[in-house]
Amino acid sequence: MVSAIDITIVIVYLLIMLGVGYLSGKNNKTQDDYFLAGHSMPWIPVALSVAATMISANGFIGGPGWAYTSGMAPVMVNITVPLAVCFALSITTPVFYRMKVTSVYEYMGKRMGKYTRALTILQFFINSIIQISSMIYIPVLIFQKITGISFYVLVPFVVITALLYTLMGGIKAVIWTDSIQMVVVIGSVILIMYMAVKGCGLSLLDTLSVAKESGRLNTLDFSLDITKENTFWASLIGGSVMWIRYFCFDQSQVQRVLTSKSLKSAKNSFVVSVFVMNIVYYVMLLLGAILFVFYGGKEFATSNEIMITFIIEQMPIGIIGIIIAGIFAAAMSSVDSLLNSMTAVFTKDIYEPCVKKEASLKVTMIITGCIGVIMTIVIFVAFNGSVKSILDLVGSYISYFAGPAAGAFILAMFTKKANDKGTAVGVIIGFVLGWIIAIKFQVNWLWNPMIGAIITFAFGYILSLLWKQDSNEEQAEKYTALGIRHQVLANESDKGDVPFSFGCRELIVLVFFIMQYVFLYCVQH
């Protein structure tokens, strides 16, 4: 059990976060302020917010636990993030920013129609509820171990806290609190790593040498076995599709970037976030390898308990409170990000088109409350008692939806013949066939996004050619990436940052992508 000092630090930190959230969002007057911050956010906080949402408490706890049991191989899951961001920088971000949409599914509605829009919205809500539920599960796991209070009491408490925080702030509060918690999380990881190395009685290099001898630092596995996890090919092919869906076509990430003051500012935030995300994620996994040395490979009931046990048993009074507060804040910041995005999608894509032109605050609160109830049920059903790493578990759940969603957006943005009905049926076939293939052949979940995307693209395109009645190629071309490029080049004097442009920002993240492989090879050999 932790001390009263640590509990006090956690409470004070939470109050500070709530205060920052309130102060950041108190001047919100319009829907544009609430969802897009009036396009006024500086790019550095946006970059930290993008990184924080991806890492969150799941990375803090699940990352080291995953590396403890599987070695550093899980670093391969994130290795194609720079490649996906390069795709976003050069093509998709200019498209969404220039179309001035609040929701990416508004774009899908304009380009395709109601059927594809509805299906992509559905997958977004399913993915988000799974992610947001896991983000609440982590701090609950910690506080249950600390206080002994029932899991079934703590979950509703955390959900209510997240709901209050989200309703108070808006996207400005989300971004500023994310920035603060990202700094706290990085500091906490460094503190824990220092204590772990100190506890090993060795220098950092000697500790890593022991970890390397045990095979914990091996990352590059070129096996063609599709059932194996974290292989080079699975991460390169399947991982690329998964992260393209996330950074290019997921509302939670695109919305964050659209709050930037300009398209160049949006791109800057993406570039910085790439370095922050992958370096911090690597360090978190490296911490797991160090903890393996510290505990001598001791077995734990679940991989998610490894970091929690070390924090409670090895960290000094006061520092425990700061670390737990950082984990809690990370979770809450990630939760409010997704809740804000889910509210934006519900408002712009469901309520306003179908019910009333302008949504009221009361309606927003009702839908947010419903999401809270659903996520609570998902936590109880899907995560309670899980022995797998929370990152591995969440990744496997959402992988079935990532491929069909990516396939639908690729059809929308890169072809002019794809139409609404053909693409919608392609999405359904992509999900069903992808799921059957994964189960029948025991495919590792990293391959699922690629499988689903290929099936969706192929069937969606072919069915669109057969389903001629609702196709309008001239209208469709206006919303493709190439069509928007042609419009910009024809009508604007400033030709920079159009879709399919490749500049220094794109080059930086592409070089970083390649250098990751060089670094991992050098570490392994």
Side-chain angles (χ1 to χ4, degrees):
M1 305 298 284
V2 298
S3 69
I5 294 174
D6 293 312
I7 297 295
T8 301
I9 290 172
V10 173
I11 293 172
V12 170
Y13 192 85
L14 276 176
L15 290 174
I16 291 173
M17 289 295 99
L18 290 171
V20 171
Y22 169 75
L23 292 173
S24 300
K26 70 176 183 177
N27 293 323
N28 288 338
K29 292 182 172 61
T30 66
Q31 194 181 94
D32 189 62
D33 290 333
Y34 191 79
F35 291 137
L36 296 176
H39 301 284
S40 64
M41 294 303 299
W43 59 269
I44 291 180
V46 172
L48 292 175
S49 181
V50 169
T53 299
M54 178 178 159
I55 292 172
S56 75
N58 294 348
F60 194 99
I61 299 297
W66 200 0
Y68 188 97
T69 57
S70 302
M72 290 293 293
V75 77
M76 300 301 291
V77 173
N78 277 31
I79 202 161
T80 52
V81 165
L83 194 62
V85 169
C86 184
F87 192 84
L89 288 170
S90 60
I91 304 175
T92 62
T93 300
V95 169
F96 291 128
Y97 201 93
R98 288 182 179 278
M99 287 196 66
K100 302 186 185 302
V101 294
T102 299
S103 159
V104 294
Y105 309 107
E106 287 182 81
Y107 165 81
M108 185 61 84
K110 292 177 180 179
R111 166 60 185 91
M112 287 294 190
K114 61 182 180 181
Y115 298 116
T116 308
R117 184 182 191 181
L119 285 172
T120 50
I121 289 170
L122 179 62
Q123 68 81 29
F124 166 72
F125 275 107
I126 293 172
N127 276 346
S128 296
I129 288 171
I130 292 171
Q131 287 179 288
I132 209 170
S133 300
S134 72
M135 291 168 182
I136 292 173
Y137 173 73
I138 288 295
V140 165
L141 198 68
I142 296 169
F143 281 100
Q144 182 187 27
K145 194 172 184 68
I146 293 170
T147 64
I149 298 174
S150 169
F151 180 85
Y152 297 97
V153 173
L154 285 171
V155 168
F157 169 76
V158 176
V159 170
I160 290 170
T161 304
L163 290 174
L164 289 173
Y165 185 81
T166 304
L167 292 172
M168 275 200 308
I171 195 69
K172 280 187 267 190
V174 169
I175 290 172
W176 283 114
T177 51
D178 280 0
S179 302
I180 295 170
Q181 67 91 4
M182 192 72 246
V183 174
V184 173
V185 167
I186 292 171
S188 298
V189 171
I190 293 172
L191 275 173
I192 295 171
M193 183 174 286
Y194 170 78
M195 294 299 294
V197 172
K198 184 179 178 182
C200 291
L202 303 169
S203 68
L204 176 60
L205 290 178
D206 288 339
T207 303
L208 294 178
S209 178
V210 174
K212 183 176 181 179
E213 289 174 5
S214 67
R216 295 290 113 182
L217 301 188
N218 292 343
T219 53
L220 299 174
D221 180 358
F222 293 93
S223 170
L224 295 175
D225 185 352
I226 61 173
T227 65
K228 290 188 69 175
E229 65 177 7
N230 306 320
T231 64
F232 175 87
W233 301 110
S235 62
L236 179 62
I237 302 171
S240 294
V241 176
M242 177 178 70
W243 292 124
I244 284 173
R245 198 281 311 176
Y246 184 63
F247 288 106
C248 299
F249 307 124
D250 188 273
Q251 176 67 17
S252 64
Q253 291 300 328
V254 175
Q255 183 182 344
R256 205 74 45 80
V257 176
L258 294 180
T259 65
S260 299
K261 296 178 179 180
S262 65
L263 182 53
K264 288 183 178 179
S265 180
K267 287 190 169 189
N268 288 340
S269 67
F270 249 149
V271 173
V272 173
S273 70
V274 165
F275 285 87
V276 175
M277 283 184 288
N278 275 26
I279 292 173
V280 171
Y281 180 64
Y282 183 86
V283 172
M284 286 178 171
L285 290 172
L286 193 64
L287 177 55
I290 292 172
L291 289 175
F292 182 86
V293 177
F294 178 86
Y295 284 114
K298 170 187 170 182
E299 291 189 9
F300 286 81
T302 72
S303 62
N304 301 315
E305 290 185 5
I306 296 166
M307 270 283 282
I308 298 171
T309 301
F310 184 84
I311 291 168
I312 294 173
E313 294 181 354
Q314 303 297 326
M315 302 302 289
I317 292 174
I319 300 298
I320 292 178
I322 293 173
I323 292 172
I324 293 174
I327 296 169
F328 200 98
M332 292 301 97
S333 293
S334 299
V335 166
D336 66 32
S337 301
L338 281 168
L339 280 175
N340 187 273
S341 296
M342 293 169 82
T343 303
V345 171
F346 170 79
T347 302
K348 305 302 293 186
D349 295 286
I350 299 175
Y351 184 82
E352 290 183 353
C354 302
V355 182
K356 193 175 181 180
K357 189 173 182 181
E358 187 172 349
S360 67
L361 179 60
K362 182 179 179 181
V363 171
T364 302
M365 293 176 69
I366 290 172
I367 188 63
T368 306
C370 291
I371 293 170
V373 172
I374 294 170
M375 74 174 71
T376 302
I377 295 171
V378 172
I379 296 169
F380 289 153
V381 173
F383 295 107
N384 191 16
S386 171
V387 297
K388 293 180 71 178
S389 164
I390 196 71
L391 290 182
D392 196 17
L393 192 66
V394 171
S396 62
Y397 280 159
I398 67 177
S399 65
Y400 297 111
F401 302 96
F409 272 101
I410 290 170
L411 280 168
M413 198 170 284
F414 298 98
T415 74
K416 60 183 180 181
K417 293 184 181 294
N419 58 46
D420 190 25
K421 290 181 181 178
T423 302
V425 175
V427 168
I428 296 171
I429 294 174
F431 172 76
V432 174
L433 279 185
W435 181 78
I436 291 173
I437 291 171
I439 299 299
K440 183 174 178 58
F441 297 99
Q442 297 182 325
V443 177
N444 180 257
W445 65 266
L446 263 178
W447 288 101
N448 293 342
M450 181 272 293
I451 294 170
I454 290 176
I455 295 171
T456 298
F457 185 91
F459 277 93
Y461 193 81
I462 292 170
L463 290 173
S464 293
L465 294 178
L466 299 175
W467 234 322
K468 291 285 187 180
Q469 64 268 28
D470 65 346
S471 62
N472 185 336
E473 290 186 24
E474 186 177 341
Q475 181 71 12
E477 189 174 10
K478 289 166 49 179
Y479 297 110
T480 64
L482 194 59
I484 291 172
R485 175 184 171 86
H486 291 158
Q487 292 171 45
V488 174
L489 293 178
N491 300 319
E492 292 187 17
S493 57
D494 180 10
K495 310 298 185 184
D497 292 320
V498 296
F500 296 104
S501 60
F502 191 93
C504 63
R505 299 175 187 86
E506 290 80 5
L507 181 61
I508 288 170
V509 295
L510 195 58
V511 169
F512 179 59
F513 167 67
I514 296 169
M515 291 307 297
Q516 289 178 117
Y517 287 113
V518 175
F519 173 77
L520 294 177
Y521 178 84
C522 292
V523 169
Q524 186 167 328
H525 295 87

